[in-house]
């Protein structure tokens, strides 16, 4: 679990909860692409170490009387976990109410959203620019990968080497035109930034 605590001198106005470091890299890269500096805007992006840890951070920062605005990104398959964490805070939830409370769903996960938004050919260009073409060719040649579609292969490739997912997620997010930013990511940022 993340050991992050909100320091007294930081006092953000809003927090965006994400599952992992690659999600944080993507959120921060998109914000920078939009010309926003989240720390100046009073927004902290917190990698929780998994969606099951959302409840911990909601208890920590979202209790009664808290004026901290909390948003989050989660995967569709884990919606019930987010709903349960919010119910523990006394909030009734369904898909619409999750969004109204600042929690936005990614169809598979944020990496999947980024691959689709960036386009497979552009992701391949990033892989080449990062000097990973050889690794990519070896990966694609594996029997288990041959029957998978290109986007699924790219998604799996991102997680096969330590640090690759974080690096590629940030690079993909940083290249997106504003109109191509995945809707859940854009909505989470807009929700958190609306406190300014």
């Amino acid at each position: 679990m993340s050991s992050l605590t909100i320091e007294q001198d930081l006092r953000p106005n809003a927090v965006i909860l994400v599952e992992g470091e690659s999600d944080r890299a993507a959120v921060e890269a998109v914000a920078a692409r939009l010309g926003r500096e989240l720390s100046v805007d009073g927004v902290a992006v917190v990698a929780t170490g998994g969606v099951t840890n959302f409840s911990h951070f909601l208890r920590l920062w979202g209790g009664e009387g808290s004026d901290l605005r909390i948003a989050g990104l989660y995967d569709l398959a884990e919606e019930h976990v987010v709903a349960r964490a919010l119910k523990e805070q006394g909030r009734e939830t369904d898909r619409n109410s999750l969004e109204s409370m600042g929690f936005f769903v990614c169809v598979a996960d944020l990496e999947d959203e980024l691959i689709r938004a960036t386009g497979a050919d552009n992701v391949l260009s990033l892989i080449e620019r990062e000097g990973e073409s050889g690794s990519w060719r070896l990966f694609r040649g594996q029997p288990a990968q041959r029957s998978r579609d290109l986007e699924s292969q790219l998604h799996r490739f991102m997680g096969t080497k330590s640090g690759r997912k974080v690096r590629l997620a940030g690079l993909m997010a940083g290249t997106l035109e504003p109109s191509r930013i995945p809707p859940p990511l854009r909505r989470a940022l807009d929700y958190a930034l609306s406190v300014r």
Side-chain angles (χ1 to χ4, degrees):
M1 181 182 299
S2 169
S3 61
L4 179 103
T5 57
I6 296 183
E7 303 294 335
Q8 290 297 330
D9 57 338
L10 290 178
R11 296 244 184 237
N13 299 311
V15 171
I16 301 174
L17 300 178
V18 296
E19 290 190 48
E21 293 298 330
S22 62
D23 303 320
R24 177 166 47 194
V27 171
E28 291 173 347
V30 162
R33 181 84 169 131
L34 295 171
R36 304 302 294 251
E37 191 173 339
L38 293 178
S39 60
V40 171
D41 287 317
V43 178
V45 183
V46 178
T48 65
V51 73
T52 56
N53 294 326
F54 277 27
S55 61
H56 167 75
F57 289 95
L58 286 167
R59 281 193 308 274
L60 187 65
W61 297 328
E64 193 172 325
S66 172
D67 60 355
L68 184 66
R69 191 168 182 87
I70 301 176
L73 288 168
Y74 65 92
D75 305 342
L76 180 59
E78 295 161 336
E79 187 166 74
H80 66 285
V81 177
V82 176
R84 185 175 61 238
L86 288 163
K87 277 186 179 182
E88 288 171 4
Q89 295 295 308
R91 304 180 197 185
E92 288 305 313
T93 58
D94 58 32
R95 171 77 48 82
N96 292 330
S97 64
L98 285 173
E99 288 197 0
S100 70
M101 288 184 269
F103 288 81
F104 302 93
V105 64
C106 299
V107 173
D109 57 22
L110 187 53
E111 290 81 19
D112 177 64
E113 298 271 357
L114 289 169
I115 290 167
R116 283 186 284 115
T118 304
D121 289 341
N122 292 329
V123 177
L124 290 172
S125 294
L126 287 174
I127 288 170
E128 183 176 342
R129 225 172 43 223
E130 289 294 296
E132 298 232 41
S133 294
S135 297
W136 168 248
R137 281 191 299 275
L138 286 172
F139 172 80
R140 275 197 94 184
Q142 295 174 359
Q145 300 306 320
R146 292 182 191 147
S147 63
R148 301 176 84 187
D149 63 77
L150 180 57
E151 288 180 352
S152 297
Q153 290 174 339
L154 288 167
H155 188 276
R156 179 68 188 108
F157 178 73
M158 288 176 67
T160 59
K161 179 181 173 187
S162 178
R164 181 184 285 147
K165 190 188 324 187
V166 174
R167 193 174 73 254
L168 288 177
L171 288 170
M172 284 188 290
T175 65
L176 293 173
E177 293 299 322
S179 64
R180 300 287 302 164
I181 295 169
L185 198 163
R186 184 63 184 257
R187 289 181 193 132
L189 269 173
D190 289 347
Y191 183 89
L193 290 166
S194 67
V195 298
R196 299 283 299 163

